[in-house]
Amino acid sequence: MRAFTGATPYMLVYGTEAVILAEVEIPSLKVIQEAKLDDAELIRVRQEQLMLIDEKRMDAVCHGQLYHNRMANAFNKRVKPRQFTPGQLVLKKTFPHQEEAKGKFAPNWQGPYVVHKELFGGALILAETNGRVSTKPINLDAIKRYYA
């Protein structure tokens, strides 16, 4: 598996390409070339490799961040923000760990509830239709609008 920058994960960790055992028994061009270098040349080549490893790591990190941003932008293009105002009727999702979830034929939504307060960060405080206010906030992804 190679990144777009040409660096393998092994190269990013250890600073050199991996040599498989078959190349040791039957020398490849890469192994032959490395074996013919004298000590001074080998040390110089190794220092150059070590100096380039940080650059390759940074290239891989930058590539990962750019990929993450592209994926986030592609996802967020299709997201439609939902706004709720106090007084609106909503339904609350029934989660599997709740008592009301009894098998596959149980309803998936509870309610209706009335939006009592909108909190910062995408959470709501709900109230039952009789006026009793819940103490726990609930995320917007577990709420949908109820049309009566």
Side-chain angles (χ1 to χ4, degrees):
M1 177 166 107
R2 286 185 177 268
F4 282 86
T5 61
T8 62
Y10 188 91
M11 174 71 168
L12 293 174
V13 173
Y14 297 106
T16 185
E17 285 295 332
V19 177
I20 58 175
L21 292 177
E23 289 183 355
V24 175
E25 289 294 321
I26 305 167
S28 67
L29 180 61
K30 179 171 69 172
V31 174
I32 292 171
Q33 287 174 344
E34 287 182 0
K36 290 184 179 178
L37 297 176
D38 61 344
D39 289 340
E41 184 70 16
L42 187 63
I43 290 171
R44 187 187 64 73
V45 169
R46 183 67 179 152
Q47 285 178 339
E48 287 177 3
Q49 287 177 347
L50 291 174
M51 288 176 11
L52 291 176
I53 189 69
D54 288 333
E55 184 178 335
K56 288 183 180 183
R57 284 182 183 149
M58 286 304 296
D59 286 346
V61 167
C62 290
H63 173 74
Q65 289 173 344
L66 290 172
Y67 176 76
H68 176 78
N69 290 340
R70 283 195 313 268
M71 292 302 290
N73 289 338
F75 175 79
N76 289 335
K77 269 197 275 187
R78 294 182 181 93
V79 173
K80 295 179 183 174
R82 297 186 295 160
Q83 301 273 328
F84 293 99
T85 58
Q88 279 185 330
L89 293 175
V90 294
L91 294 175
K92 180 172 74 168
K93 188 175 203 144
T94 304
F95 294 104
H97 65 278
Q98 292 176 328
E99 298 172 5
E100 295 86 8
K102 305 237 189 274
K104 66 180 183 180
F105 296 113
N108 295 331
W109 298 91
Q110 301 171 338
Y113 293 95
V114 178
V115 175
H116 178 70
K117 184 178 180 184
E118 186 175 6
L119 301 176
F120 179 75
L124 299 174
I125 299 288
L126 301 179
E128 294 182 10
T129 53
N130 62 9
R132 191 173 71 90
V133 177
S134 173
T135 57
K136 288 195 251 178
I138 187 160
N139 287 336
L140 284 177
D141 61 347
I143 298 293
K144 73 176 180 179
R145 186 101 187 262
Y146 178 71
Y147 298 97

